[in-house]
Amino acid sequence: MQIQNHHLTEIRQVFSPNFDCRPNENDISLVVIHNISLPPGQFTDDNITPFFCNLLNPDKHPFFKEIHLNQVSAHLLIRRAGEIIQYVAFNKRAWHAGVSNYQKRKKCNDFSIGIELEGTDTMAYSRTQYIRLAQVINLLIQRYPHLNKEHITGHSDIAPQRKTDPGKYFSWELLFRLLKNHQRSIVTNS
């Protein structure tokens, strides 16, 4: 897997119409980690892709009646078994953060990459998700010079009054250990 033309290779690509141009394509300097499951707490159906593509059927589940008109997206989704789906090119602004603030910078969508993990605030993520997330973040850091391991945050950190994801079961320690181990293997193999 690598990044070509602002897309990951060797993964599923699905076009979401929910994006626009960044004010500055060269200012990609933050990774925001989210979680999503539709319906909440269920992982058996692929309702996330229709949601990000404005195709969610409001009659399929009562919760969908509340959200089916929302126009949102993320750059990537990492499913529980490790499948990665890209919805928006990294150089474009996905609509994932909403009203947000990171280190006194507002409008985080302008300068961030949004990565959704299939999950909830109330349960652990799969080890495979962490491994894939670390692989992706390391590729992003290599490709976009303003990104680094110090600028990875949760949705709850940039919108604390509104959001709680990725939640208390997200292991920041495991993610950073995997990022460090991946960096070490790159240096060793060079």
Side-chain angles (χ1 to χ4, degrees):
M1 185 170 51
Q2 54 187 295
I3 298 174
Q4 292 180 352
N5 298 319
H6 307 286
H7 288 85
L8 286 175
T9 61
E10 303 171 35
I11 65 157
R12 188 171 147 208
Q13 300 285 334
V14 176
F15 173 78
S16 170
N18 302 328
F19 75 94
D20 55 8
C21 292
R22 295 180 185 273
N24 179 355
E25 280 190 16
N26 297 316
D27 184 24
I28 298 171
S29 53
L30 178 65
V31 172
V32 179
I33 299 172
H34 305 260
N35 72 38
I36 189 169
S37 57
L38 292 175
Q42 295 183 26
F43 312 118
T44 53
D45 292 332
D46 184 8
N47 295 306
I48 299 166
T49 293
F51 181 52
F52 285 164
C53 296
N54 305 331
L55 299 171
L56 188 63
N57 180 349
D59 299 322
K60 193 171 178 183
H61 188 275
F63 179 65
F64 297 171
K65 289 184 186 339
E66 299 174 31
I67 65 166
H68 78 281
L69 294 177
N70 295 355
Q71 294 185 329
V72 297
S73 63
H75 291 91
L76 299 176
L77 168 68
I78 302 176
R79 303 215 48 183
R80 299 210 51 92
E83 177 192 14
I84 300 174
I85 304 170
Q86 184 164 4
Y87 298 97
V88 176
F90 298 127
N91 64 326
K92 300 299 180 187
R93 178 171 50 192
W95 302 343
H96 61 95
V99 176
S100 52
N101 184 313
Y102 180 76
Q103 297 183 347
K104 299 183 181 176
R105 292 185 70 189
K106 295 181 179 182
K107 299 181 180 179
C108 294
N109 285 340
D110 290 353
F111 57 92
S112 67
I113 291 175
I115 301 175
E116 295 275 2
L117 299 177
E118 186 177 40
T120 71
D121 291 0
T122 59
M123 64 185 301
Y125 298 89
S126 73
R127 181 165 180 83
T128 301
Q129 285 178 294
Y130 287 103
I131 291 167
R132 297 293 271 174
L133 180 60
Q135 291 170 336
V136 167
I137 290 174
N138 276 311
L139 287 171
L140 292 169
I141 289 170
Q142 291 169 28
R143 172 62 178 82
Y144 300 102
H146 297 292
L147 276 178
N148 60 56
K149 287 187 271 188
E150 285 74 46
H151 296 290
I152 302 168
T153 194
H155 199 187
S156 58
D157 298 313
I158 62 169
Q161 306 304 318
R162 299 182 306 108
K163 298 297 179 176
T164 57
D165 56 319
K168 67 180 182 177
Y169 291 96
F170 183 79
S171 175
W172 291 100
E173 179 184 341
L174 176 56
L175 173 62
F176 285 107
R177 188 168 64 243
L178 289 168
L179 287 169
K180 184 177 180 182
N181 289 343
H182 184 70
Q183 272 306 109
R184 193 177 310 133
S185 71
I186 290 172
V187 171
T188 305
N189 294 331
S190 297

Short mmCIF file of all heavy atoms in Angstrom, two decimals, residues 42-88:
data_model
loop_
_atom_site.label_atom_id
_atom_site.label_comp_id
_atom_site.label_asym_id
_atom_site.label_seq_id
_atom_site.Cartn_x
_atom_site.Cartn_y
_atom_site.Cartn_z
N GLN A 42 -23.74 -1.73 15.69
CA GLN A 42 -23.89 -2.87 14.78
C GLN A 42 -22.86 -2.78 13.66
O GLN A 42 -22.65 -1.71 13.09
CB GLN A 42 -25.31 -2.91 14.21
CG GLN A 42 -26.36 -3.17 15.26
CD GLN A 42 -27.75 -3.28 14.68
OE1 GLN A 42 -27.94 -3.65 13.52
NE2 GLN A 42 -28.75 -2.97 15.50
N PHE A 43 -22.27 -3.92 13.34
CA PHE A 43 -21.20 -3.95 12.35
C PHE A 43 -21.47 -4.92 11.20
O PHE A 43 -20.58 -5.20 10.41
CB PHE A 43 -19.87 -4.33 13.02
CG PHE A 43 -19.59 -3.54 14.27
CD1 PHE A 43 -19.47 -4.18 15.49
CD2 PHE A 43 -19.45 -2.17 14.23
CE1 PHE A 43 -19.22 -3.46 16.65
CE2 PHE A 43 -19.21 -1.44 15.38
CZ PHE A 43 -19.09 -2.08 16.58
N THR A 44 -22.67 -5.44 11.10
CA THR A 44 -22.94 -6.49 10.11
C THR A 44 -23.27 -5.96 8.73
O THR A 44 -22.98 -6.60 7.74
CB THR A 44 -24.07 -7.41 10.59
OG1 THR A 44 -25.20 -6.59 10.92
CG2 THR A 44 -23.66 -8.20 11.81
N ASP A 45 -23.89 -4.80 8.62
CA ASP A 45 -24.27 -4.25 7.31
C ASP A 45 -23.34 -3.11 6.94
O ASP A 45 -22.80 -2.43 7.80
CB ASP A 45 -25.71 -3.71 7.34
CG ASP A 45 -26.73 -4.82 7.48
OD1 ASP A 45 -26.45 -5.94 7.05
OD2 ASP A 45 -27.81 -4.55 8.04
N ASP A 46 -23.19 -2.90 5.65
CA ASP A 46 -22.40 -1.75 5.20
C ASP A 46 -23.36 -0.57 4.97
O ASP A 46 -23.77 -0.30 3.86
CB ASP A 46 -21.62 -2.07 3.93
CG ASP A 46 -20.72 -0.90 3.52
OD1 ASP A 46 -20.60 0.08 4.29
OD2 ASP A 46 -20.13 -0.97 2.43
N ASN A 47 -23.70 0.10 6.05
CA ASN A 47 -24.53 1.30 5.96
C ASN A 47 -23.69 2.57 5.96
O ASN A 47 -24.20 3.65 5.68
CB ASN A 47 -25.53 1.34 7.12
CG ASN A 47 -26.53 0.21 7.04
OD1 ASN A 47 -27.19 0.03 6.03
ND2 ASN A 47 -26.61 -0.58 8.09
N ILE A 48 -22.42 2.45 6.29
CA ILE A 48 -21.54 3.62 6.37
C ILE A 48 -21.30 4.19 4.97
O ILE A 48 -21.39 5.40 4.76
CB ILE A 48 -20.22 3.26 7.06
CG1 ILE A 48 -20.50 2.79 8.50
CG2 ILE A 48 -19.27 4.46 7.06
CD1 ILE A 48 -19.32 2.12 9.18
N THR A 49 -21.02 3.33 4.02
CA THR A 49 -20.77 3.80 2.65
C THR A 49 -21.98 4.54 2.08
O THR A 49 -21.82 5.66 1.58
CB THR A 49 -20.31 2.64 1.75
OG1 THR A 49 -19.02 2.21 2.20
CG2 THR A 49 -20.22 3.07 0.30
N PRO A 50 -23.20 4.00 2.16
CA PRO A 50 -24.34 4.78 1.68
C PRO A 50 -24.50 6.11 2.43
O PRO A 50 -24.86 7.13 1.84
CB PRO A 50 -25.55 3.87 1.92
CG PRO A 50 -24.99 2.51 1.97
CD PRO A 50 -23.60 2.64 2.52
N PHE A 51 -24.20 6.11 3.73
CA PHE A 51 -24.30 7.34 4.52
C PHE A 51 -23.34 8.40 3.99
O PHE A 51 -23.72 9.56 3.77
CB PHE A 51 -24.02 7.03 5.99
CG PHE A 51 -24.12 8.22 6.91
CD1 PHE A 51 -25.24 9.04 6.93
CD2 PHE A 51 -23.08 8.50 7.79
CE1 PHE A 51 -25.34 10.12 7.80
CE2 PHE A 51 -23.16 9.57 8.66
CZ PHE A 51 -24.28 10.39 8.66
N PHE A 52 -22.09 8.02 3.74
CA PHE A 52 -21.09 8.97 3.24
C PHE A 52 -21.35 9.38 1.79
O PHE A 52 -20.76 10.33 1.31
CB PHE A 52 -19.68 8.40 3.36
CG PHE A 52 -19.13 8.38 4.76
CD1 PHE A 52 -18.03 7.60 5.06
CD2 PHE A 52 -19.69 9.13 5.78
CE1 PHE A 52 -17.49 7.59 6.34
CE2 PHE A 52 -19.17 9.12 7.06
CZ PHE A 52 -18.07 8.34 7.34
N CYS A 53 -22.23 8.65 1.11
CA CYS A 53 -22.54 8.95 -0.29
C CYS A 53 -23.95 9.52 -0.47
O CYS A 53 -24.45 9.60 -1.60
CB CYS A 53 -22.36 7.69 -1.13
SG CYS A 53 -20.65 7.11 -1.16
N ASN A 54 -24.60 9.90 0.63
CA ASN A 54 -25.95 10.48 0.61
C ASN A 54 -26.99 9.51 0.05
O ASN A 54 -27.95 9.92 -0.58
CB ASN A 54 -25.98 11.80 -0.18
CG ASN A 54 -24.97 12.80 0.36
OD1 ASN A 54 -24.63 12.79 1.54
ND2 ASN A 54 -24.48 13.66 -0.51
N LEU A 55 -26.79 8.22 0.30
CA LEU A 55 -27.68 7.19 -0.22
C LEU A 55 -28.29 6.32 0.88
O LEU A 55 -28.85 5.27 0.59
CB LEU A 55 -26.93 6.29 -1.21
CG LEU A 55 -26.36 6.99 -2.45
CD1 LEU A 55 -25.46 6.04 -3.24
CD2 LEU A 55 -27.48 7.53 -3.32
N LEU A 56 -28.20 6.75 2.13
CA LEU A 56 -28.70 5.96 3.23
C LEU A 56 -30.23 5.91 3.18
O LEU A 56 -30.90 6.94 3.09
CB LEU A 56 -28.25 6.57 4.56
CG LEU A 56 -28.53 5.76 5.82
CD1 LEU A 56 -27.78 4.43 5.79
CD2 LEU A 56 -28.11 6.56 7.05
N ASN A 57 -30.78 4.71 3.25
CA ASN A 57 -32.22 4.50 3.18
C ASN A 57 -32.83 4.79 4.56
O ASN A 57 -32.59 4.04 5.51
CB ASN A 57 -32.52 3.06 2.77
CG ASN A 57 -34.00 2.77 2.66
OD1 ASN A 57 -34.85 3.55 3.08
ND2 ASN A 57 -34.31 1.60 2.11
N PRO A 58 -33.65 5.85 4.69
CA PRO A 58 -34.21 6.19 6.00
C PRO A 58 -35.20 5.16 6.53
O PRO A 58 -35.48 5.13 7.73
CB PRO A 58 -34.90 7.53 5.75
CG PRO A 58 -35.18 7.56 4.30
CD PRO A 58 -34.08 6.77 3.64
N ASP A 59 -35.71 4.29 5.66
CA ASP A 59 -36.67 3.27 6.08
C ASP A 59 -36.01 1.99 6.58
O ASP A 59 -36.69 1.10 7.10
CB ASP A 59 -37.63 2.94 4.93
CG ASP A 59 -38.43 4.16 4.50
OD1 ASP A 59 -38.82 4.95 5.39
OD2 ASP A 59 -38.63 4.33 3.29
N LYS A 60 -34.69 1.91 6.46
CA LYS A 60 -33.99 0.69 6.83
C LYS A 60 -33.85 0.53 8.35
O LYS A 60 -33.78 -0.58 8.85
CB LYS A 60 -32.61 0.67 6.16
CG LYS A 60 -31.92 -0.66 6.20
CD LYS A 60 -30.68 -0.66 5.33
CE LYS A 60 -29.97 -1.99 5.42
NZ LYS A 60 -28.73 -1.99 4.65
N HIS A 61 -33.80 1.66 9.08
CA HIS A 61 -33.66 1.61 10.54
C HIS A 61 -34.18 2.93 11.10
O HIS A 61 -33.97 3.98 10.49
CB HIS A 61 -32.18 1.42 10.92
CG HIS A 61 -31.96 1.16 12.36
ND1 HIS A 61 -31.86 2.18 13.28
CD2 HIS A 61 -31.83 0.00 13.06
CE1 HIS A 61 -31.67 1.65 14.48
NE2 HIS A 61 -31.65 0.34 14.37
N PRO A 62 -34.84 2.92 12.26
CA PRO A 62 -35.37 4.17 12.82
C PRO A 62 -34.32 5.27 12.99
O PRO A 62 -34.60 6.45 12.75
CB PRO A 62 -35.95 3.74 14.17
CG PRO A 62 -36.27 2.29 14.01
CD PRO A 62 -35.24 1.75 13.05
N PHE A 63 -33.10 4.90 13.39
CA PHE A 63 -32.04 5.91 13.57
C PHE A 63 -31.71 6.60 12.26
O PHE A 63 -31.34 7.78 12.25
CB PHE A 63 -30.79 5.24 14.16
CG PHE A 63 -29.64 6.18 14.36
CD1 PHE A 63 -29.73 7.24 15.27
CD2 PHE A 63 -28.47 6.02 13.65
CE1 PHE A 63 -28.66 8.11 15.45
CE2 PHE A 63 -27.39 6.89 13.83
CZ PHE A 63 -27.50 7.93 14.74
N PHE A 64 -31.84 5.91 11.14
CA PHE A 64 -31.48 6.49 9.85
C PHE A 64 -32.41 7.63 9.46
O PHE A 64 -32.01 8.52 8.70
CB PHE A 64 -31.49 5.42 8.76
CG PHE A 64 -30.47 4.33 8.95
CD1 PHE A 64 -30.48 3.21 8.15
CD2 PHE A 64 -29.51 4.40 9.96
CE1 PHE A 64 -29.55 2.20 8.31
CE2 PHE A 64 -28.57 3.39 10.13
CZ PHE A 64 -28.60 2.28 9.31
N LYS A 65 -33.63 7.64 9.99
CA LYS A 65 -34.55 8.76 9.72
C LYS A 65 -33.99 10.07 10.26
O LYS A 65 -34.22 11.14 9.71
CB LYS A 65 -35.92 8.48 10.33
CG LYS A 65 -36.70 7.40 9.61
CD LYS A 65 -38.08 7.24 10.20
CE LYS A 65 -38.89 6.10 9.66
NZ LYS A 65 -38.61 5.52 8.40
N GLU A 66 -33.21 9.99 11.36
CA GLU A 66 -32.62 11.17 11.98
C GLU A 66 -31.41 11.69 11.22
O GLU A 66 -31.12 12.88 11.27
CB GLU A 66 -32.18 10.85 13.41
CG GLU A 66 -33.27 10.42 14.35
CD GLU A 66 -32.71 9.98 15.69
OE1 GLU A 66 -31.67 10.52 16.11
OE2 GLU A 66 -33.31 9.09 16.31
N ILE A 67 -30.68 10.81 10.56
CA ILE A 67 -29.38 11.21 10.01
C ILE A 67 -29.28 11.16 8.49
O ILE A 67 -28.28 11.64 7.93
CB ILE A 67 -28.24 10.34 10.60
CG1 ILE A 67 -28.40 8.87 10.18
CG2 ILE A 67 -28.18 10.48 12.11
CD1 ILE A 67 -27.19 8.01 10.43
N HIS A 68 -30.26 10.61 7.79
CA HIS A 68 -30.08 10.33 6.36
C HIS A 68 -29.88 11.59 5.51
O HIS A 68 -29.33 11.51 4.41
CB HIS A 68 -31.23 9.49 5.81
CG HIS A 68 -32.49 10.25 5.54
ND1 HIS A 68 -33.38 10.61 6.52
CD2 HIS A 68 -33.00 10.73 4.37
CE1 HIS A 68 -34.38 11.28 6.00
NE2 HIS A 68 -34.18 11.36 4.68
N LEU A 69 -30.25 12.76 6.00
CA LEU A 69 -30.04 13.99 5.22
C LEU A 69 -28.71 14.68 5.54
O LEU A 69 -28.34 15.64 4.88
CB LEU A 69 -31.20 14.97 5.46
CG LEU A 69 -32.56 14.49 4.94
CD1 LEU A 69 -33.65 15.49 5.29
CD2 LEU A 69 -32.52 14.23 3.44
N ASN A 70 -28.00 14.18 6.55
CA ASN A 70 -26.69 14.77 6.88
C ASN A 70 -25.71 14.52 5.75
O ASN A 70 -25.67 13.43 5.19
CB ASN A 70 -26.13 14.14 8.16
CG ASN A 70 -26.95 14.46 9.39
OD1 ASN A 70 -27.90 15.21 9.33
ND2 ASN A 70 -26.57 13.86 10.50
N GLN A 71 -24.96 15.52 5.42
CA GLN A 71 -23.94 15.37 4.37
C GLN A 71 -22.57 15.41 5.05
O GLN A 71 -22.04 16.47 5.37
CB GLN A 71 -24.07 16.48 3.34
CG GLN A 71 -25.36 16.38 2.55
CD GLN A 71 -25.45 17.40 1.44
OE1 GLN A 71 -24.93 18.50 1.54
NE2 GLN A 71 -26.13 17.04 0.37
N VAL A 72 -22.04 14.21 5.27
CA VAL A 72 -20.76 14.06 5.95
C VAL A 72 -19.90 13.05 5.19
O VAL A 72 -20.39 12.29 4.35
CB VAL A 72 -20.94 13.60 7.42
CG1 VAL A 72 -21.70 14.65 8.23
CG2 VAL A 72 -21.66 12.27 7.49
N SER A 73 -18.63 13.06 5.52
CA SER A 73 -17.71 12.10 4.92
C SER A 73 -16.46 12.04 5.78
O SER A 73 -16.30 12.82 6.72
CB SER A 73 -17.33 12.53 3.49
OG SER A 73 -16.63 13.77 3.52
N ALA A 74 -15.60 11.13 5.46
CA ALA A 74 -14.27 11.04 6.02
C ALA A 74 -13.36 10.68 4.86
O ALA A 74 -13.82 10.24 3.81
CB ALA A 74 -14.20 9.99 7.11
N HIS A 75 -12.08 10.86 5.06
CA HIS A 75 -11.16 10.42 4.01
C HIS A 75 -11.13 8.90 3.94
O HIS A 75 -11.18 8.33 2.85
CB HIS A 75 -9.76 10.99 4.27
CG HIS A 75 -9.69 12.46 4.09
ND1 HIS A 75 -9.92 13.35 5.12
CD2 HIS A 75 -9.47 13.21 2.98
CE1 HIS A 75 -9.83 14.59 4.65
NE2 HIS A 75 -9.56 14.53 3.35
N LEU A 76 -11.07 8.27 5.13
CA LEU A 76 -10.94 6.81 5.18
C LEU A 76 -11.86 6.21 6.23
O LEU A 76 -12.17 6.85 7.24
CB LEU A 76 -9.51 6.41 5.57
CG LEU A 76 -8.36 6.82 4.69
CD1 LEU A 76 -7.05 6.40 5.33
CD2 LEU A 76 -8.48 6.24 3.30
N LEU A 77 -12.22 4.96 5.99
CA LEU A 77 -12.87 4.11 6.98
C LEU A 77 -12.03 2.86 7.12
O LEU A 77 -11.62 2.26 6.11
CB LEU A 77 -14.28 3.72 6.52
CG LEU A 77 -14.98 2.60 7.30
CD1 LEU A 77 -15.32 3.04 8.72
CD2 LEU A 77 -16.23 2.12 6.56
N ILE A 78 -11.76 2.45 8.37
CA ILE A 78 -11.10 1.18 8.62
C ILE A 78 -12.11 0.29 9.34
O ILE A 78 -12.50 0.56 10.47
CB ILE A 78 -9.81 1.35 9.46
CG1 ILE A 78 -8.84 2.29 8.73
CG2 ILE A 78 -9.16 -0.02 9.70
CD1 ILE A 78 -7.58 2.61 9.51
N ARG A 79 -12.54 -0.76 8.64
CA ARG A 79 -13.55 -1.66 9.19
C ARG A 79 -12.93 -2.58 10.24
O ARG A 79 -11.71 -2.67 10.37
CB ARG A 79 -14.18 -2.47 8.05
CG ARG A 79 -14.76 -1.49 7.02
CD ARG A 79 -15.97 -1.86 6.34
NE ARG A 79 -17.01 -2.35 7.23
CZ ARG A 79 -18.16 -2.79 6.78
NH1 ARG A 79 -18.42 -2.83 5.50
NH2 ARG A 79 -19.08 -3.22 7.61
N ARG A 80 -13.73 -3.29 10.97
CA ARG A 80 -13.26 -4.10 12.10
C ARG A 80 -12.28 -5.19 11.66
O ARG A 80 -11.35 -5.49 12.40
CB ARG A 80 -14.44 -4.70 12.85
CG ARG A 80 -15.30 -3.55 13.37
CD ARG A 80 -16.07 -3.75 14.59
NE ARG A 80 -15.46 -4.24 15.77
CZ ARG A 80 -14.96 -3.46 16.74
NH1 ARG A 80 -14.90 -2.16 16.61
NH2 ARG A 80 -14.50 -4.02 17.84
N ALA A 81 -12.47 -5.75 10.47
CA ALA A 81 -11.57 -6.80 9.99
C ALA A 81 -10.35 -6.23 9.27
O ALA A 81 -9.51 -6.98 8.79
CB ALA A 81 -12.31 -7.76 9.08
N GLY A 82 -10.24 -4.89 9.19
CA GLY A 82 -9.06 -4.27 8.60
C GLY A 82 -9.24 -3.74 7.19
O GLY A 82 -8.32 -3.10 6.66
N GLU A 83 -10.40 -3.96 6.56
CA GLU A 83 -10.62 -3.40 5.23
C GLU A 83 -10.58 -1.88 5.32
O GLU A 83 -11.17 -1.28 6.23
CB GLU A 83 -11.97 -3.84 4.67
CG GLU A 83 -12.26 -3.22 3.30
CD GLU A 83 -13.70 -3.39 2.83
OE1 GLU A 83 -14.58 -3.75 3.64
OE2 GLU A 83 -13.93 -3.15 1.64
N ILE A 84 -9.92 -1.25 4.36
CA ILE A 84 -9.84 0.21 4.30
C ILE A 84 -10.61 0.67 3.07
O ILE A 84 -10.43 0.13 1.98
CB ILE A 84 -8.39 0.70 4.21
CG1 ILE A 84 -7.59 0.24 5.44
CG2 ILE A 84 -8.34 2.23 4.08
CD1 ILE A 84 -6.11 0.55 5.36
N ILE A 85 -11.46 1.67 3.27
CA ILE A 85 -12.20 2.28 2.16
C ILE A 85 -11.88 3.76 2.16
O ILE A 85 -11.92 4.41 3.20
CB ILE A 85 -13.73 2.09 2.33
CG1 ILE A 85 -14.07 0.60 2.47
CG2 ILE A 85 -14.48 2.72 1.16
CD1 ILE A 85 -15.51 0.33 2.89
N GLN A 86 -11.53 4.29 0.99
CA GLN A 86 -11.26 5.72 0.86
C GLN A 86 -12.44 6.39 0.15
O GLN A 86 -12.88 5.94 -0.90
CB GLN A 86 -9.97 5.99 0.10
CG GLN A 86 -9.63 7.47 0.06
CD GLN A 86 -8.19 7.76 -0.33
OE1 GLN A 86 -7.42 6.86 -0.65
NE2 GLN A 86 -7.82 9.03 -0.28
N TYR A 87 -12.92 7.49 0.74
CA TYR A 87 -14.06 8.22 0.20
C TYR A 87 -13.68 9.56 -0.41
O TYR A 87 -14.36 10.05 -1.31
CB TYR A 87 -15.11 8.46 1.29
CG TYR A 87 -15.67 7.19 1.86
CD1 TYR A 87 -15.17 6.65 3.04
CD2 TYR A 87 -16.70 6.52 1.22
CE1 TYR A 87 -15.68 5.47 3.56
CE2 TYR A 87 -17.22 5.33 1.73
CZ TYR A 87 -16.69 4.81 2.90
OH TYR A 87 -17.19 3.65 3.41
N VAL A 88 -12.61 10.16 0.10
CA VAL A 88 -12.21 11.50 -0.34
C VAL A 88 -10.68 11.50 -0.50
O VAL A 88 -9.97 10.96 0.35
CB VAL A 88 -12.64 12.58 0.68
CG1 VAL A 88 -12.14 13.96 0.28
CG2 VAL A 88 -14.16 12.59 0.85
#
